[in-house]
Amino acid sequence: MCHPIDVYVGQRVRFKRKVLGLTQSDLAEKVDITFQQIQKYEKGENRVSASMLYQIAQSLNTSVSFFFEGYAENSENETVIRDDKVSIDLINSFASIKNPELKKRLLLLISSVSESNSF
């Protein structure tokens, strides 16, 4: 049985990979392992060694600490996972908008809502 933090770290790897638009194969190639191993890391089936986590962080242009951010050892992890999916969907949708003025206005709207925490 996997430790919850191994699952969480794997989910954060998947989140960051998807945000950057990389496939499991792309990431695997960058760190010189198989895509199946990336898949096992992302599912939390295999633990990621410290050296591999460092390589993955380098390949995803992030810090090792990113993979632990927001972790809380309780049932709230399910909420974090769902929020990550929403974030990915939002990023992908925003990236597909072609009108630069519309993007600018949406960014201003999102920034103002997040600053006021009014929802």
Side-chain angles (χ1 to χ4, degrees):
M1 184 139 207
C2 297
H3 191 279
I5 197 147
D6 296 322
V7 174
Y8 185 79
V9 167
Q11 291 166 341
R12 296 289 288 172
V13 168
R14 180 177 186 270
F15 172 73
K16 187 66 173 180
R17 175 182 62 75
K18 291 193 115 194
V19 164
L20 295 175
L22 298 173
T23 65
Q24 289 177 336
S25 295
D26 294 335
L27 180 55
E29 187 175 315
K30 287 177 178 257
V31 296
D32 197 30
I33 60 175
T34 65
F35 82 89
Q36 292 94 335
Q37 187 60 53
I38 295 292
Q39 192 174 55
K40 288 178 182 179
Y41 289 154
E42 289 183 359
K43 290 180 179 179
E45 292 174 0
N46 287 6
R47 288 183 174 171
V48 184
S49 69
S51 58
M52 181 53 65
L53 192 58
Y54 179 80
Q55 287 181 310
I56 290 171
Q58 294 288 303
S59 296
L60 297 176
N61 298 319
T62 194
S63 64
V64 171
S65 64
F66 168 82
F67 302 110
F68 301 93
E69 288 174 7
Y71 178 77
E73 199 165 335
N74 59 34
S75 63
E76 291 179 21
N77 283 335
E78 290 181 22
T79 302
V80 172
I81 296 160
R82 271 188 257 117
D83 289 347
D84 282 352
K85 180 173 177 358
V86 169
S87 298
I88 291 169
D89 291 345
L90 179 63
I91 290 166
N92 289 336
S93 296
F94 188 82
S96 70
I97 297 170
K98 305 293 184 226
N99 183 323
E101 183 61 29
L102 179 57
K103 275 187 167 181
K104 182 179 174 183
R105 289 178 185 215
L106 284 171
L107 184 57
L108 287 172
L109 173 65
I110 292 167
S111 295
S112 67
V113 169
S114 66
E115 288 172 6
S116 68
N117 290 318
S118 61
F119 48 116

